[in-house]
């Protein structure tokens, strides 16, 4: 359990935020620039000593301004990764990793060292110097260096913000693997909804120094009230699925808590866990089940909520235990007479599975 409560006054800005992280995985601190995300992370790391607050990790009290408790940054057992990798240019990758390892209060074992190299694909990079690394490779080395200290908590402050799209695509699978294998709580600062949808297990929305929404990412991303708090249309839905197996026609069937989805062929073993993303724009609605249609995915659904927005409307749907969001025009909403608790059919035009593979279905 991680318990954070921080209050800090600045000129023209007040950070007054509290949240809890109950289990390992990635907790995204999400919000616009100037929301207070980095300030909050600096307080957790001990870089900033706030005027008032309490920070507890497990049974360790790192900050309690009421009792005067303040654990210095070096003793907090936290790994931190910044926008820029901050590697020593005169050292090889291995020496950069070993430098952080030697200075750690509690070092990773040699076995853990080898596992980190494997998990982040660092072994081929060990003899190189930072000048010969791509942006994505530098980010992976920075991640590895942070993990060498066997941290209780990993803080990532917009680690992909300085990378172009190609370099982001290069490192995202490693972040997914880190999330799934490390069993380590991570707080991930970002203003990118794409990164939240791809990586986050839990989500905390910050605006103007305050927490305005928090919860499981799967729940919040399809919640219309979250979209209102975010001051933007719903991004759609993200949910967990399992590979059921291939079909004779070359397509792959996925199982999820609302039924099955058919996607383009995936080279994944039956039972493999995946993260599925459905964009609100990629779901059509029908009052009757279509018969002659090219789409492979026609899901029985129940309307749970409607959020009209100018010329469009976001419609929240329950498909089994999973909530989806469809974006249709206001004209279609009125013409079909769609209302809460109505039974209808969701026609899924496109599915994004796991590491950004877009499948036309």
């Amino acid at each position: 359990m991680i318990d954070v409560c921080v209050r800090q006054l600045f000129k023209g800005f007040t950070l007054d935020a509290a949240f809890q992280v109950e289990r390992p995985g990635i907790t995204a601190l999400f919000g616009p620039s100037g929301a207070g995300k980095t300030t909050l992370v600096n307080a957790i790391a001990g870089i900033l000593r706030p005027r008032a607050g309490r920070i507890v990790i497990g049974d360790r009290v790192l900050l309690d301004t009421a009792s005067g408790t303040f654990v210095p940054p070096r003793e907090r057992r936290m790994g931190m990764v910044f926008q820029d990798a901050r590697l020593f240019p005169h050292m090889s990758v291995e020496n950069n990793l070993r430098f952080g390892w030697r200075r750690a209060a509690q070092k990773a074992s040699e076995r853990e060292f080898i596992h980190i190299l494997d998990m982040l694909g660092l072994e081929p990079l060990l003899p190189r110097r930072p000048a010969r690394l791509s942006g994505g490779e530098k980010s992976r080395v920075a991640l590895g260096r942070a993990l060498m200290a066997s941290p209780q908590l990993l803080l990532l402050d917009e680690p992909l913000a300085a990378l172009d799209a190609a370099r982001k695509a290069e490192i995202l699978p490693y972040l997914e693997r880190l999330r799934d294998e490390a069993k380590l709580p991570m707080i991930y600062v970002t203003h990118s909804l794409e990164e939240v949808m791809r990586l986050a297990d839990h989500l905390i929305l910050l605006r103007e120094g305050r927490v305005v929404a928090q919860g499981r990412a799967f729940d919040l991303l399809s919640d219309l009230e979250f979209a209102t708090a975010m001051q933007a249309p719903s991004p759609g839905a993200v949910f967990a699925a399992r590979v059921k197996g291939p079909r004779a026609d070359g397509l792959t069937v996925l199982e999820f808590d609302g039924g099955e989805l058919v996607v383009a062929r995936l080279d994944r073993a039956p039972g493999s866990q995946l993260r599925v993303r459905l964009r609100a724009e990629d779901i059509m609605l029908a009052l009757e089940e279509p018969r002659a249609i090219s789409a492979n995915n026609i899901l029985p659904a129940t309307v749970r909520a409607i959020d009209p927005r100018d010329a469009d409307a976001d419609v929240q749907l329950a498909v089994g235990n999973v909530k989806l969001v469809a974006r249709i025009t206001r004209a279609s909403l009125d013409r079909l007479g769609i209302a809460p608790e109505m039974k209808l059919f969701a026609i899924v035009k496109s599915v994004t599975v796991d590491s950004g593979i877009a499948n036309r279905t």
Side-chain angles (χ1 to χ4, degrees):
M1 168 75 79
I2 300 168
D3 197 347
V4 175
C5 180
V6 172
R7 180 174 174 80
Q8 179 70 21
L9 303 178
F10 299 94
K11 186 176 181 180
F13 177 78
T14 299
L15 175 65
D16 190 358
F19 64 89
Q20 290 183 335
V21 177
E22 297 184 358
R23 56 183 61 88
I26 293 180
T27 296
L29 285 182
F30 173 67
S33 298
K37 304 184 298 294
T38 295
T39 303
L40 189 53
V41 163
N42 286 341
I44 297 169
I47 298 170
L48 168 71
R49 186 167 184 168
R51 179 177 179 178
R54 180 177 168 84
I55 299 173
V56 182
I57 299 182
D59 58 358
R60 297 182 68 216
V61 179
L62 304 182
L63 171 74
D64 187 351
T65 54
S67 65
T69 301
F70 179 78
V71 176
R74 192 171 184 275
E75 298 175 18
R76 294 199 176 195
R77 287 194 59 197
M78 293 187 187
M80 194 154 185
V81 180
F82 302 91
Q83 288 186 29
D84 53 331
R86 303 190 183 185
L87 304 178
F88 295 109
H90 62 288
M91 291 184 181
S92 67
V93 166
E94 181 170 9
N95 287 337
N96 266 280
L97 295 171
R98 295 283 186 185
F99 181 86
W101 177 78
R102 283 192 295 267
R103 291 173 59 86
Q106 183 167 332
K107 302 176 178 62
S109 67
E110 193 65 29
R111 182 176 179 179
E112 290 171 326
F113 185 94
I114 293 171
H115 176 65
I116 291 167
L117 294 182
D118 175 67
M119 182 168 56
L120 297 176
L122 296 177
E123 188 168 0
L125 308 181
L126 291 179
R128 297 193 205 169
R129 291 194 177 184
R132 296 181 55 215
L133 301 177
S134 70
E137 289 168 340
K138 289 176 183 177
S139 294
R140 282 156 50 198
V141 175
L143 276 171
R145 184 174 59 184
L147 293 171
M148 295 300 174
S150 294
Q152 287 185 310
L153 174 64
L154 188 61
L155 303 172
L156 301 103
D157 187 6
E158 302 209 50
L160 307 186
L163 303 181
D164 60 25
R167 301 289 80 76
K168 285 183 182 181
E170 172 190 325
I171 196 172
L172 276 166
Y174 292 99
L175 288 169
E176 288 173 329
R177 188 175 179 188
L178 177 62
R179 176 197 63 202
D180 297 338
E181 293 186 13
K183 308 303 180 187
L184 177 70
M186 292 173 270
I187 295 179
Y188 188 100
V189 172
T190 184
H191 61 266
S192 167
L193 189 57
E194 182 74 16
E195 291 171 31
V196 170
M197 297 181 76
R198 180 84 177 259
L199 298 171
D201 299 295
H202 313 284
L203 177 55
I204 297 166
L205 175 61
L206 276 178
R207 194 168 65 238
E208 297 178 351
R210 286 169 171 76
V211 175
V212 295
Q214 60 180 309
R216 284 201 333 145
F218 289 173
D219 296 332
L220 281 183
L221 289 169
S222 59
D223 190 294
L224 299 186
E225 291 185 4
F226 170 72
T228 300
M230 195 173 58
Q231 298 180 334
S234 171
V238 178
F239 54 90
R242 299 165 297 280
V243 176
K244 182 176 181 180
R247 294 199 326 187
D249 58 7
L251 300 176
T252 297
V253 180
L254 307 180
E255 298 175 309
F256 71 109
D257 285 346
E260 294 183 351
L261 281 172
V262 179
V263 300
R265 184 175 183 273
L266 292 176
D267 291 322
R268 302 289 186 99
S272 298
Q273 300 291 316
L274 299 169
R275 178 174 291 213
V276 173
R277 188 181 347 148
L278 299 182
R279 297 192 313 157
E281 296 87 348
D282 286 332
I283 297 178
M284 297 174 61
L285 302 180
L287 301 186
E288 299 178 356
E289 184 174 6
R291 297 297 179 185
I293 190 170
S294 62
N296 289 309
N297 293 300
I298 301 170
L299 305 173
T302 302
V303 177
R304 292 300 184 214
I306 300 171
D307 182 15
R309 289 174 173 267
D310 297 326
D312 294 327
D314 285 347
V315 181
Q316 186 190 63
L317 309 167
V319 179
N321 294 321
V322 171
K323 290 187 174 68
L324 308 180
V325 177
R327 181 163 304 130
I328 61 176
T329 64
R330 289 287 295 274
S332 294
L333 182 76
D334 296 338
R335 176 168 50 82
L336 297 176
I338 294 174
E341 302 310 314
M342 177 180 285
K343 306 291 186 182
L344 42 66
F345 293 88
I347 303 163
V348 180
K349 297 188 293 181
S350 181
V351 180
T352 300
V353 178
D354 227 17
S355 54
I357 307 168
N359 302 306
R360 302 310 300 183
T361 59

